[in-house]
């Protein structure tokens, strides 16, 4: 989001409107066209218009046919008859006047013909409308009326709000992901809105001064503010001076063992006991420098003059730890000395003023300098959180709102303890994590979650899973088929056939039969034989025989007959056939089918979370029917645009608010405690006691090297990650 050139001149004054009450994370955009009343007239239907045109054409044709039958035809006939009679009369009598006849013909015939021609023209116009551009004309006319209605609605909603404030639904907000530039915008927008109603304590652990824009805006607007860069400003800010000896011992023990596994609980308990004994030996004057000197004295190291009194040094080196006990806690003393020595070096930078509380700061920012991370920096981070927890838990007056940028450096146990303390005292808490993993993932869901750009695909999937899945019907298949068929068949058959058969049959036959027979039979039989034998034998012989027979018969037969017949036949057949057939068919078919299926998908796809713009914020609020998602823009320059409201947008179903957030820059500005009388200032609670030394200049906290001569750092490249 960039400010238009026309608004850039007064942008600095208008940005003071960010201090309008209402803890906003940004703005939600709603196009004012959504508030416009829809155009009530429906769009012209081409099929309906065509049917109406066909009906009008049929009606005009029927009217013309009726008029021609009953008026046009008779009028034309009368006119012709009178003209013929007039001509005949002229031929018979050339001298006769035919003017009266012609006038009668015109009077009787012309009106009917004219009226019939008018009906004919109407019929032709109706026929042309069936295939003419009537639909296009109706559509263009409808579009003109709809456009005029839209312009009238936009004129009515000219001053309606299009940007509304996005307020978190809970006191605690967890922001995950984002770039450094996006964090600066979010801290400026959110921090300014919080400062409009209550004090603010911001902890910037990014090492990149993500709160720089908010600090500059607060100073330009006149908000009493102070900035401390850690660890160099440890003594100047009086971080540990507001803690009692017991609270200091507990905070140091928790900070030293921050992130240690559960097995180190015994070491943490021993360290806490040793610190309590050391702080008890120092009395009421407990500072990091004196505490570090006591630890060195307990180890037998020499102590610088003036850090401990002779009595305190004798107590620490003698009766405080018996020899056997000192031998058991030797490792604990070495560990405490390692952490306290570095802490004392930074805490001593304030000189004599270190630890001396001063007047309250309405806006206090603790920011880590840009330097490599190490064990001491991690211990300092944990110490700041422990201090915050003590301040929120044990404070008597109204506690300030807390914003922590770069909460990835803090352990889950400490964050949960701080969150519980803020919830009990109804203190607004905003935690900003670079990544969605480790301890930050374990805290997800404890408050209202907001997601900025998550480039890592695993983190984007975890965020999408938290937002949730939902059942919905999606279009899975679209089928469109358009076809038609047209068949014309004409069959005409004509046949004629004649069949005639005629036959005459005459048969005349006679049968005559005559039979005659004559039979005669005769016969005879005769036989004879002779045998002789000769041989050497003296015997010989001879034989002879004969026989005969005869028979005879005679007969005669005669038969005769006569028969005859006559047959005649006649026939005739005539057949005829013919046929005529006519058939016609026309058909069209179309299919426009949509298939929807029920799916269970992410409400927000991981790729959407991976490609969010720098100033985009997806706010997730829980609802009974599922996640309530709101797309938020956190760019503070939006306040300089027209039609921006510092209050949430009115629902679309209600009357829209008219009037943009315009007016003088100081309209609605709260009275800062720093602008009140000195006697009233003493009644304000001490949130973070700054020292009497002046805070660093703007150039010092804008540049990591803290060089007063260096100009402020410019805008980082888009997409850069904080820290």
């Amino acid at each position: 989001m960039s400010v238009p050139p026309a608004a850039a001149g007064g942008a600095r004054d208008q940005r003071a409107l960010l201090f309008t009450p209402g803890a906003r994370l940004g703005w939600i955009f709603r196009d004012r066209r959504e508030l416009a009343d829809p155009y009530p007239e429906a769009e012209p239907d081409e099929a309906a218009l065509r049917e109406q045109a066909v009906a009008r054409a049929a009606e005009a044709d029927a009217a013309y046919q009726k008029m021609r039958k009953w008026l046009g035809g008779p009028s034309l006939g009368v006119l012709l008859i009178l003209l013929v009679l007039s001509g005949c009369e002229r031929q018979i009598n050339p001298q006769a006047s035919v003017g009266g006849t012609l006038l009668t013909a015109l009077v009787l015939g012309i009106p009917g013909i004219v009226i019939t021609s008018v009906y004919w023209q109407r019929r032709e116009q109706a026929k042309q409308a069936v295939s003419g551009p009537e639909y296009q004309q109706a559509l263009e006319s409808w579009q003109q009326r709809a456009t005029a209605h839209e312009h009238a609605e936009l004129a009515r909603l000219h001053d309606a709000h299009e940007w509304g404030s996005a307020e978190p639904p809970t006191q605690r907000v967890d922001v995950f992901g984002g770039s450094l530039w996006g964090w600066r915008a979010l801290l400026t927008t959110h921090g300014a809105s919080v400062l409009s109603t209550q004090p603010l304590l911001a902890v910037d652990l990014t090492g990149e001064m993500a709160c720089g824009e908010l600090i500059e805006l607060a100073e330009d607007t006149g908000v009493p503010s102070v900035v401390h860069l850690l660890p160099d400003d440890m003594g100047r800010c009086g971080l540990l001076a507001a803690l009692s000896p017991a609270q200091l011992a507990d905070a140091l023990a928790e900070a030293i063992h921050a992130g240690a596994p559960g097995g180190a609980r015994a070491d943490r308990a021993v360290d806490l006991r040793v610190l309590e004994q050391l702080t008890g030996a120092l009395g009421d004057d407990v500072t990091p420098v004196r505490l570090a000197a006591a630890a060195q004295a307990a180890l037998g190291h020499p102590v610088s003059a003036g850090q401990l009194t002779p009595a305190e040094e004798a107590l620490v080196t003698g009766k405080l730890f018996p020899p056997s006990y000192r031998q058991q806690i030797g490792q604990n003393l070495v560990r405490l000395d390692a952490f306290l020595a570095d802490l004392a070096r930074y805490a001593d930078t304030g000189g004599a003023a270190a630890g001396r509380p001063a007047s309250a700061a309405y806006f206090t920012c603790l920011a880590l300098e840009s330097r490599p991370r190490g064990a001491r920096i991690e211990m300092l981070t944990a110490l700041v959180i422990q201090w915050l927890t003590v301040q929120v838990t044990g404070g008597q007056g109204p506690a300030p709102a807390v914003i922590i940028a770069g909460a990835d450096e803090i352990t889950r146990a400490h964050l949960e303890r701080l969150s519980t303390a803020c919830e009990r005292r109804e203190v607004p808490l905003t935690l900003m994590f670079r990544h969605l993993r480790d301890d930050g993932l374990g805290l997800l869901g404890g408050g209202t979650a907001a997601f900025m750009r998550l480039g890592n695909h695993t983190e984007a999937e975890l965020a999408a899973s938290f937002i949730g899945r939902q059942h919905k019907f999606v279009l899975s298949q679209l089928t469109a088929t358009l076809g038609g068929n047209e068949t014309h068949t004409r069959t005409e058959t004509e046949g004629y056939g004649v069949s005639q058969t005629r036959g005459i049959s005459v048969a005349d036959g006679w049968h005559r039969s005559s039979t005659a027979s004559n039979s005669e039979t005769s016969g005879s039989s005769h036989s004879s034989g002779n045998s002789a034998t000769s041989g050497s034998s003296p015997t010989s012989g001879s034989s002879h025989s004969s026989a005969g027979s005869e028979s005879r018969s005679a007969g005669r037969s005669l038969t005769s007959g006569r028969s005859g017949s006559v047959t005649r036949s006649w026939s005739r057949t005539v057949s005829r056939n013919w046929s005529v057939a006519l058939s016609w068919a026309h058909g069209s078919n179309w299919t426009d089918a949509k298939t929807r299926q029920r799916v269970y998908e992410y409400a927000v796809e991981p790729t959407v979370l991976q490609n969010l713009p720098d100033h985009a914020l997806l706010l997730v609020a829980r609802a009974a029917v599922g996640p309530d998602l709101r797309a938020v823009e956190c760019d503070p320059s939006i306040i300089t645009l027209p039609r921006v409201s510092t209050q949430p947008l009115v629902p679309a179903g209600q009357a829209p608010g008219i009037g943009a957030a315009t007016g003088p820059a100081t309209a609605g500005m709260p009275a800062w405690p720093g602008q009140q009388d000195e006697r009233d200032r003493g009644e304000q609670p001490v949130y973070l006691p700054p020292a009497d030394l002046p805070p660093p200049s703007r150039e010092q906290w804008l540049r990591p090297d803290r060089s007063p001569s260096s100009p402020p750092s410019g805008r980082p490249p888009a997409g850069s990650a904080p820290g």
Side-chain angles (χ1 to χ4, degrees):
M1 177 65 63
S2 60
V3 182
R12 182 174 297 273
D13 295 336
Q14 292 184 4
R15 283 165 67 91
L17 292 171
L18 293 172
F19 293 93
T20 307
R24 70 185 61 87
L25 296 174
W27 287 269
I28 298 176
F29 178 77
R30 181 182 65 191
D31 192 351
R32 57 194 175 108
R33 291 179 175 84
E34 298 179 6
L35 303 175
D37 295 334
Y39 186 54
E41 183 181 350
E43 184 177 353
D45 187 0
E46 184 177 5
L49 289 177
R50 189 174 298 277
E51 292 178 358
Q52 295 175 3
V54 171
R56 288 195 299 269
E59 182 180 356
D61 182 71
Y64 166 72
Q65 296 296 339
K66 181 178 180 180
M67 187 61 59
R68 187 185 65 174
K69 178 180 180 181
W70 297 104
L71 183 60
S75 299
L76 181 61
V78 170
L79 178 62
L80 293 177
I81 292 173
L82 291 177
L83 290 177
V84 170
L85 292 177
S86 175
C88 294
E89 184 180 0
R90 186 71 174 178
Q91 291 293 332
I92 296 173
N93 186 8
Q95 301 298 328
S97 175
V98 296
T101 305
L102 292 177
L103 181 60
T104 303
L106 293 176
V107 171
L108 295 178
I110 293 301
I113 296 175
V114 171
I115 294 175
T116 304
S117 64
V118 171
Y119 276 83
W120 176 81
Q121 291 179 357
R122 292 179 180 178
R123 186 191 68 170
E124 295 301 321
Q125 292 176 357
K127 287 183 178 180
Q128 293 178 1
V130 174
S131 58
E134 182 178 359
Y135 170 72
Q136 294 296 333
Q137 295 176 358
L139 181 61
E140 292 177 358
S141 177
W142 179 85
Q143 290 176 348
Q144 292 176 359
R145 295 192 301 271
T147 303
H149 174 79
E150 181 181 2
H151 290 167
E153 286 295 306
L154 292 180
R156 182 178 65 87
L157 300 171
H158 181 269
D159 294 330
H161 294 145
E162 290 187 324
W163 295 91
S165 179
E167 299 181 356
T170 59
Q171 292 283 342
R172 173 180 158 187
V173 179
D174 299 334
V175 182
F176 298 91
S179 62
L180 176 60
W181 186 246
W183 276 23
R184 287 183 174 178
L186 177 60
L187 286 170
T188 302
T189 302
H190 183 51
S193 63
V194 172
L195 283 171
S196 63
T197 55
Q198 64 184 118
L200 174 63
L201 178 56
V203 179
D204 186 359
L205 303 178
T206 62
E208 299 291 342
M209 283 306 298
C211 293
E213 188 176 354
L214 174 60
I215 297 170
E216 180 181 1
L217 180 63
E219 290 185 351
D220 292 343
T221 315
V223 180
S225 58
V226 62
V227 182
H228 299 289
L229 297 181
L230 302 179
D232 291 346
D233 292 341
M234 179 70 69
R236 181 182 292 108
C237 69
L239 174 64
L240 305 178
L243 299 178
S244 65
Q247 292 174 343
L248 177 61
D250 184 72
L252 287 173
E254 291 294 331
I256 292 173
H257 292 275
R265 185 176 301 168
D267 291 337
R268 186 167 70 250
V270 174
D271 288 351
L272 177 59
R273 178 56 182 165
V274 172
L275 286 172
E276 288 177 347
Q277 291 176 332
L278 292 176
T279 56
L282 297 179
D284 295 335
D285 187 12
V286 180
T287 63
V289 176
R290 287 168 50 80
L291 190 59
Q296 293 176 0
L299 288 172
H301 297 296
V303 180
S304 301
Q307 293 181 347
L308 297 177
T309 63
E312 293 172 346
E313 185 175 359
L315 178 61
V316 172
T317 58
K319 298 179 181 180
L320 186 61
F321 301 114
S324 60
Y325 186 75
R326 189 186 302 273
Q327 185 179 1
Q328 293 292 331
I329 64 172
Q331 293 182 355
N332 301 86
L333 287 173
V334 171
R335 180 167 49 247
L336 292 176
D337 177 64
F339 284 98
L340 290 175
D342 188 72
L343 184 63
R345 183 172 70 252
Y346 290 112
D348 194 32
T349 57
R356 193 168 61 233
S359 59
Y362 193 80
F363 170 45
T364 303
C365 179
L366 300 179
L368 284 180
E369 292 181 338
S370 179
R371 59 177 59 186
R373 291 294 191 266
R376 294 180 176 87
I377 297 298
E378 293 177 359
M379 189 271 295
L380 180 60
T381 300
L383 185 61
V384 171
I385 301 304
Q386 290 301 310
W387 176 85
L388 279 175
T389 305
V390 172
Q391 291 297 310
V392 173
T393 304
Q396 298 299 326
V402 178
I403 297 178
I404 302 177
D408 306 75
E409 307 291 339
I410 311 170
T411 61
R412 176 179 176 181
H414 293 169
L415 283 177
E416 288 179 344
R417 195 173 306 162
L418 175 62
S419 176
T420 303
C422 292
E423 182 179 0
R424 183 166 57 250
R425 296 202 59 192
E426 297 183 355
V427 173
L429 174 63
T430 303
L431 302 176
M432 301 178 64
F433 298 86
R434 298 187 187 96
H435 304 282
L436 182 59
R437 62 191 181 195
D438 301 333
D439 293 334
L441 181 61
L443 291 170
L444 180 61
T448 301
F451 298 99
M452 302 184 79
R453 184 170 60 221
L454 291 167
N456 185 272
H457 67 282
T458 303
E459 297 177 10
E461 289 183 359
L462 291 174
S465 299
F466 171 78
I467 295 173
R469 301 172 182 264
Q470 59 184 1
H471 287 286
K472 57 184 177 180
F473 287 91
V474 299
L475 182 64
S476 61
Q477 185 177 359
L478 181 63
T479 304
T481 303
L482 177 62
N485 60 80
E486 185 174 351
T487 303
H488 295 270
T489 303
R490 181 181 179 88
T491 303
E492 185 173 349
T493 304
E494 182 177 357
Y496 178 81
V498 177
S499 175
Q500 181 174 353
T501 303
R502 183 177 182 181
I504 299 176
S505 174
V506 178
D508 188 3
W510 295 89
H511 177 71
R512 180 179 294 178
S513 167
S514 178
T515 303
S517 65
N518 190 5
S519 171
E520 182 176 352
T521 304
S522 63
S524 62
S525 172
H526 180 76
S527 65
S528 62
N530 188 17
S531 66
T533 304
S534 63
S536 57
S537 87
T539 305
S540 64
S542 167
S543 175
H544 177 77
S545 65
S546 63
S549 64
E550 181 177 354
S551 64
R552 177 175 298 186
S553 62
R556 185 176 180 181
S557 174
L558 177 61
T559 302
S560 62
R562 184 179 180 183
S563 64
S565 63
V566 177
T567 302
R568 296 181 179 181
S569 64
W570 178 85
S571 64
R572 182 181 180 184
T573 303
V574 178
S575 63
R576 299 177 182 178
N577 61 83
W578 64 90
S579 62
V580 177
L582 177 64
S583 64
W584 176 82
H586 174 74
S588 61
N589 58 82
W590 63 89
T591 302
D592 190 2
K594 297 180 180 179
T595 304
R596 299 169 64 89
Q597 65 179 9
R598 187 173 181 237
V599 296
Y600 189 59
E601 295 180 343
Y602 287 121
V604 178
E605 291 295 331
T607 53
V608 176
L609 297 171
Q610 289 180 277
N611 296 278
L612 290 176
D614 284 337
H615 296 154
L617 183 73
L618 187 61
L619 188 63
V620 183
R622 292 298 177 184
V625 296
D628 181 14
L629 304 179
R630 305 175 189 175
V632 180
E633 281 281 345
C634 60
D635 189 352
S637 300
I638 293 179
I639 196 64
T640 63
L641 300 177
R643 304 185 184 93
V644 178
S645 174
T646 55
Q647 301 297 326
L649 291 174
V650 179
Q654 302 178 11
I658 305 299
T662 58
T666 58
M669 298 290 291
W672 312 117
Q675 298 172 348
Q676 297 177 359
D677 190 74
E678 280 292 329
R679 58 178 180 270
D680 297 331
R681 183 183 302 177
E683 300 177 359
Q684 298 296 327
V686 178
Y687 308 116
L688 184 62
D692 292 339
L693 298 179
S697 62
R698 184 177 306 170
E699 289 78 5
Q700 288 177 313
W701 53 255
L702 282 177
R703 296 290 296 174
D705 56 2
R706 305 185 65 194
S707 175
S709 60
S710 302
S713 59
R715 172 177 176 173
S720 60

